[in-house]
Amino acid sequence: MICALNYLNNEQLPESKMELYERCCEMLMDARDNQRKIDGNIYENLPQLHYGKKRKILEEISFWRMNGNVSSESKGNVIEYLKHSRQRCARERL
């Protein structure tokens, strides 16, 4: 991961650990698909999301799993959690 980031950034890695971690996350969740021209609209029920929104969703899932002391979760449970989270976000916008 760090080698790829180093290569993509002309051998310039971020100086702080937090910035390095952030750049790795951005590369995994956004930049890599954009550079490979992977269409983000391949899933019917999934809206096109920018990096900030993707990160927010993963933060919520991580927090939910951490609070439940869960190391793994079924796909169905994560989908249900995301549905409830999406509904909550829609209500908050009103």
Side-chain angles (χ1 to χ4, degrees):
M1 169 76 59
I2 294 175
C3 290
L5 187 61
N6 188 45
Y7 175 77
L8 291 172
N9 291 314
N10 299 317
E11 299 180 7
Q12 293 286 320
L13 289 175
E15 291 185 25
S16 74
K17 284 183 184 180
M18 289 305 291
E19 189 178 346
L20 177 62
Y21 298 153
E22 181 67 26
R23 297 292 299 274
C24 287
C25 288
E26 186 176 358
M27 185 173 74
L28 283 172
M29 290 188 279
D30 204 49
R32 191 172 65 162
D33 287 352
N34 289 339
Q35 289 168 349
R36 295 168 130 191
K37 296 179 178 32
I38 295 174
D39 184 10
N41 294 318
I42 59 174
Y43 302 105
E44 265 179 49
N45 298 323
L46 188 64
Q48 185 74 13
L49 303 172
H50 58 85
Y51 170 69
K53 186 66 174 174
K54 290 175 190 176
R55 188 171 190 272
K56 177 75 173 151
I57 290 168
L58 288 176
E59 284 174 357
E60 288 181 19
I61 292 171
S62 297
F63 186 72
W64 166 61
R65 290 182 58 199
M66 185 179 70
N67 280 342
N69 200 23
V70 177
S71 61
S72 65
E73 191 60 74
S74 72
K75 181 179 176 180
N77 286 345
V78 172
I79 289 171
E80 280 301 311
Y81 175 80
L82 290 173
K83 283 180 185 177
H84 291 294
S85 178
R86 190 173 175 189
Q87 290 169 351
R88 186 182 71 245
C89 288
R91 284 192 304 268
E92 289 174 1
R93 280 189 236 144
L94 296 176

